[in-house]
Amino acid sequence: MRFRILGALEIFDGTDWRGISAAKPRALLAALLVRRDGPVPTDRLGAELWGEREPRAAANLIQQYVLRLRRELGDREGRLLVTRPPGYQVVPDGEDDLDAAVFARLGASGRAALAAGEPERAAGLLAEALALWRGPALADVPAGPVVEAEAARLDEQRLDVLQARVEADLACGRHRALVPELRQSVREHPLREGLWEQLMLALYGSGRQAEALDAYREVHRLLAAELSVEPSAPLRALHRRMLRGDPGLAAPGPGPRPPERAARAGRGPGPPRQLPAAVSGFTGRRAELRLLDGPSDGAEPGVGPAVRVITGTAGAGKTALALHWAHRAARDFPDGQLYVNLRGFDSTAGPVPPGEAVRGFLEALSVPPERIPDPLEARAALLRTETAGRRLLFVLDNATDAAQVRPLLPGGAGCAVLVTGRGRLAGLAVTDGARLIRLDVLPREEAHELLVARLGADRIAAEPEAAAELIELCARLPLALAVTAARAVGRPGFALSAVAAELRDTRGRLDVLDTGEGASSVRTVFSWSYLRLDARTARVFRLLGLYPGRDAAAPAVAALAGLTVQEAAAALTGLAHVHLIDEHRPGRYSFHDLLRVYAAGLAAAEESPAERTAALHRLFDHFLHTAHLAGRRLVPVRRALPLPPPVPGSAPRHPEDYEEAMAWFEAERAVLLAVTDAAGPAGFDGHAWQLPLVMGDFLHLSGRWHDWAATQRTAIAAARRQEDPAGTALCHCESGRAAIRLGRHEEARDALSRALELQRGLNDLPGQTHTLRTLAWLYEQQGDYRATLRRLEQVLELERAAGNLAGWGGALNNIGWCHSHLGDHEKALVCCHEALRLHREAGASVGEAYTWETLGFTRRAMGEYTEALDCYRRCREEFHRLGNRYGEADALRNLGELLRTVGDLAGAREAWRDSLVLLGGLDHPDADAVRALLGAAD
């Protein structure tokens, strides 16, 4: 078993490197690894894992963690992780089982070679030691006293080895090749004077004396500002020697090169190591890391570089993932690792030109400046020449598009390229065989792991509900979670519930997540994408902040923005290209809550109140009028609701048939519910009661009865606020219908009584007809068919007087249903046949289908099974033709029951299976009853 701690803690199981998933066992193993020269007492381990909050059962918990680790290590007999009083000890398999031990051995050998006057050998050994590092030591281990001290010691040793390797490279005359690396090193460790001294030597030895003196002035200013001290005596002495032009500072001639590195003139033998430090405490992204480890999708092996592209929304952690993987994979690329921030979304400096980035790579590969041509094509060709036959890793961070990336691609089949960006990078998959890896927000489990890694398991375990709320308030966005965790770490005395309370205020949430530094401020990072949009697309993004639903399609966005559907679709595509929104299903777009808050803030700042109101009016009219038209397709006999005409730009859709209407309702269901809730508070009470009415039949037919009831409560309140008695009556009636379906009969009777009272006061005969029909349904559900019949006879009289053939036929069908249940089957048949005639004359196919259902029931009750089967089949065919899936499913269920009665069990099963498929597609609760029928038959 081998272990790595120079980066995240990982174990090698014989096949692959992997981490330890749980934080406490990981911390325990880390403490044992860094103190493996002897047993670590249990009390010391307790202090390491819990600090001052050590629980009473610490010893038992540690024992459980040891057992868990043994299972993960495949060490069930305890030969590797040994119980050794007064605690536990990791007994190594060999000297090289821990990367930190290998690092120490290589570092010591390298320093010895340097002291012995063998700089070339020293440089190789020291570079090999540094290649073991994948990020900060023990990066993913919760910091206890032992781990914290060891991580600091190892990081200090790494800097010492780095300086020793630079010293060896300087002794070999590699001054020019060292400049880019040393510039990055002093940025990362600005107070380490030894690195500044080496940078000055590298610049001076490259013939860049002015830049060397500028470096001294820079470190002089830095030390004065930060520490109020002068540079050290060695640094001041070096500065004086440079001012005198001391010939002893001249770079020595290059020494002998190893054969594999001297094949082409112009290459310096020191490999570039340009990767920035990996993010400390990186967690999660296991699925994405597996994709990064796999081969690229389209590249032919051995032909070109392996290209991997990480895309995703702002703040998703693209760079963090890229650097984590790059450090982990660095050992596979012994010829070096190159890095460039292409600044694809930098609103101040702008993107890095490809030619500039290529020049930087060529300089890092020790190509003399005089050999670098000016034309981009020639530079790119030289880069491919210089990288052919080498094993290099390129990290191209924050790319704008594929055009910025292609000139930077190396020529060697042994090279790999990792690209990150928010923009149009899919073309790299087509032309360069890139594997595209899209980052979304974190899964909840991985978001929880991130908080545990940053805040400690104990603090999370103490307030699990608050931790879960933080995860949701941060929209599971890694950057937001990291900022929130940093705030919590900085205030250890604050409860997590207090941190969550700061984030609950939607308007101020992005202020809480503002660190004051660009790359770590959520609002600023979002702005880098927004500021690159054209005016129309930017306006669409702002207005999406007003959109009530969780996702949107182009027709609704067109209404919101007052655009054509084609213009809206183009804007949505543009937003998806830069990952400000996500096309999570074909044609449907969404974004997470923090981007929604950002967009809403932009809308409030950049759109006038009148513009915001007009946008919502168009949107609400779009949904109201489309739902009205779609509802008429579902139940054509329903009286049309008188609506004001739609405002210009709302562009309602016109579903052609039942199937299209049902599909539209299914796609927009969640949005319609959100619009219902949002319309009243936005000042659109008319929409708040009319929309629930026109979508009621859909919610009924699809079995969303609780949604049906809830929307009617909203509707009644809105109609009352508008002081519209006719509308209030309709809403009470619809509320009664929903209550009947939910079995709340007393509630239904109260609602229907209030509706009738209002309608009689208004002399609203069509409204009374509808309410009386609903009352009849209530009595039927209670099994009182005589009371049902009395109400239906009132309905029949009103429909005849109005000359409404479809309503007249519907009343006769329902009366026939009552007569059949009361045992008068002949009278039922007369009513149903007259109903069929009226429905056909009126063209009311839905009413005709329901009448065939009543005829089937009546014929079955009369024992006329052949005729009943024919009726149910005609009922099923009619509903199928109409695209009414619920009606068809109900007919199939009845057909199956009759087939079972006549002994055709196979036919019954087939009918019920077909019914179940239809009900399952509707997510309808009646599916349970059909499953029960199938179960009994089986």
Side-chain angles (χ1 to χ4, degrees), residues 904-922:
D904 185 358
L905 198 55
R909 288 195 189 97
E910 182 181 356
W912 288 332
R913 288 192 193 100
D914 290 344
S915 176
L916 192 59
V917 169
L918 291 166
L919 292 169
L922 293 169

Side-chain angles (χ1 to χ4, degrees), residues 318-336:
K318 298 179 291 295
T319 297
L321 173 62
L323 292 177
H324 178 77
W325 181 83
H327 279 282
R328 196 171 76 167
R331 294 183 65 181
D332 297 329
F333 301 95
D335 292 318

